[in-house]
Amino acid sequence: MICRHTSGEFIPLSLIMAIIEIQSGDEGLQSHAQRVAIAGPIDELKYPALCPHCGAAAAEQLPIEKVFRYTHTDDTPSGVRITRATPLFCGACALRHRAEQQPPTLGEQMKSLFVTEQALAAYSMLATGLLLGSQLLKHTQALSTKVGVALLGVSALFLLGAYACFRNSWSTNRYRRIPPQTSITRSFDFGDDDSSPFATVKRTYALRSPTYADAFARMNADLDAKWLGPERQRREALHFWIAAVICGLAVVISWLLQAR
């Protein structure tokens, strides 16, 4: 489905109403003709004072957060990571972005807290703590004994554990509260970084403006030299051989134990 923006341009409805999607690697990147591959962490990027959407002079920073799934795990909170870029946009595009942006509703935020795996343990602890505490408070004479005081302390520990579980649920599921991208922020799109301790892989950036893409590539050319240079390659080779030796020793020890 599509809707008409105030400027008259048609915008996919999914850009302003869809729940954010978890991506893997470079899947789902915008089909912009300008693609730039740069090595290194995204927080080391330098951004030109140009708008990625229209190429005009820019001074307003718009954080862009995307959620990526670890390729070796399933779709669980422990299997996702949030990546954040902070390019500059011009005032007109920033205004249009705010008009399109749809933050998560209060209901969606509460679901990220209460309808989670982490919350299941919290419910159990909360119910136990409340039940035990209420029973003790009904029999106030029990509180005058050491056993009663100890049980009240246990009840408090259950309630504290429930709070810790809810807090962990809120933190772990932050990715569920990230709003979907707008047509403006999608002009600076990027994939995941599949680098490992043994190899550095370039991250792909899909950029709408050719002018911006050229300036962006020039400003960050030094990152390739830093993260793909001889020193980095030697370090990755060292990590590889250390891991190989550890695995080899584990196999030998396992074989010796079985042979006894």
Side-chain angles (χ1 to χ4, degrees), residues 10 157 193 224:
F10 283 106
L157 287 177
D193 185 354
D224 282 352

Side-chain angles (χ1 to χ4, degrees), residues 165-246:
C165 288
F166 279 126
R167 183 171 180 176
N168 180 54
S169 176
W170 180 259
S171 175
T172 302
N173 292 280
R174 187 175 82 84
Y175 73 97
R176 295 174 57 182
R177 300 188 297 276
I178 294 177
Q181 304 300 311
T182 66
S183 65
I184 302 300
T185 56
R186 284 185 182 272
S187 61
F188 186 99
D189 202 8
F190 52 90
D192 198 12
D193 185 354
D194 293 325
S195 298
S196 70
F198 313 117
T200 299
V201 180
K202 292 186 177 184
R203 187 195 300 270
T204 301
Y205 298 86
L207 308 170
R208 183 177 188 269
S209 168
T211 304
Y212 184 92
D214 291 340
F216 180 72
R218 287 196 303 270
M219 287 190 70
N220 294 283
D222 59 323
L223 288 180
D224 282 352
K226 175 182 177 181
W227 289 94
L228 297 175
E231 182 180 350
R232 181 68 182 182
Q233 291 180 355
R234 285 193 295 269
R235 187 180 304 172
E236 291 171 352
L238 178 61
H239 291 164
F240 172 82
W241 285 111
I242 290 175
V245 169
I246 292 175

Side-chain angles (χ1 to χ4, degrees), residues 18-252:
I19 299 300
I20 190 168
E21 294 182 359
I22 302 175
Q23 300 178 0
S24 295
D26 290 343
E27 73 173 19
L29 274 180
Q30 295 298 293
S31 57
H32 300 314
Q34 290 72 40
R35 296 218 169 189
V36 177
I38 298 176
I42 199 168
D43 55 6
E44 293 188 10
L45 286 177
K46 304 180 189 73
Y47 302 99
L50 297 172
C51 180
H53 187 262
C54 65
E60 187 166 348
Q61 190 179 80
L62 291 182
I64 302 174
E65 290 185 311
K66 293 188 65 176
V67 183
F68 295 99
R69 180 185 298 109
Y70 288 116
T71 56
H72 61 277
T73 60
D74 55 10
D75 187 8
T76 61
S78 61
V80 299
R81 58 186 166 207
I82 300 172
T83 303
R84 189 172 187 262
T86 55
L88 302 173
F89 289 82
C90 68
C93 289
L95 185 64
R96 178 175 169 181
H97 161 74
R98 285 190 284 271
E100 293 181 13
Q101 191 176 42
Q102 294 290 324
T105 64
L106 179 60
E108 291 169 342
Q109 295 184 48
M110 292 300 97
K111 283 173 62 178
S112 74
L113 172 62
F114 296 112
V115 188
T116 66
E117 294 180 0
Q118 295 82 4
L120 294 178
Y123 293 137
S124 176
M125 291 185 179
L126 181 63
T128 303
L130 290 176
L131 179 62
L132 182 58
S134 62
Q135 292 300 315
L136 287 172
L137 292 177
K138 285 181 179 179
H139 303 84
T140 53
Q141 67 275 12
L143 296 177
S144 60
T145 65
K146 292 182 178 180
V147 175
V149 173
L151 289 176
L152 188 62
V154 171
S155 174
L157 287 177
F158 273 109
L159 295 177
L160 184 62
Y163 167 76
C165 288
F166 279 126
R167 183 171 180 176
N168 180 54
S169 176
W170 180 259
S171 175
T172 302
N173 292 280
R174 187 175 82 84
Y175 73 97
R176 295 174 57 182
R177 300 188 297 276
I178 294 177
Q181 304 300 311
T182 66
S183 65
I184 302 300
T185 56
R186 284 185 182 272
S187 61
F188 186 99
D189 202 8
F190 52 90
D192 198 12
D193 185 354
D194 293 325
S195 298
S196 70
F198 313 117
T200 299
V201 180
K202 292 186 177 184
R203 187 195 300 270
T204 301
Y205 298 86
L207 308 170
R208 183 177 188 269
S209 168
T211 304
Y212 184 92
D214 291 340
F216 180 72
R218 287 196 303 270
M219 287 190 70
N220 294 283
D222 59 323
L223 288 180
D224 282 352
K226 175 182 177 181
W227 289 94
L228 297 175
E231 182 180 350
R232 181 68 182 182
Q233 291 180 355
R234 285 193 295 269
R235 187 180 304 172
E236 291 171 352
L238 178 61
H239 291 164
F240 172 82
W241 285 111
I242 290 175
V245 169
I246 292 175
C247 291
L249 289 175
V251 171
V252 171

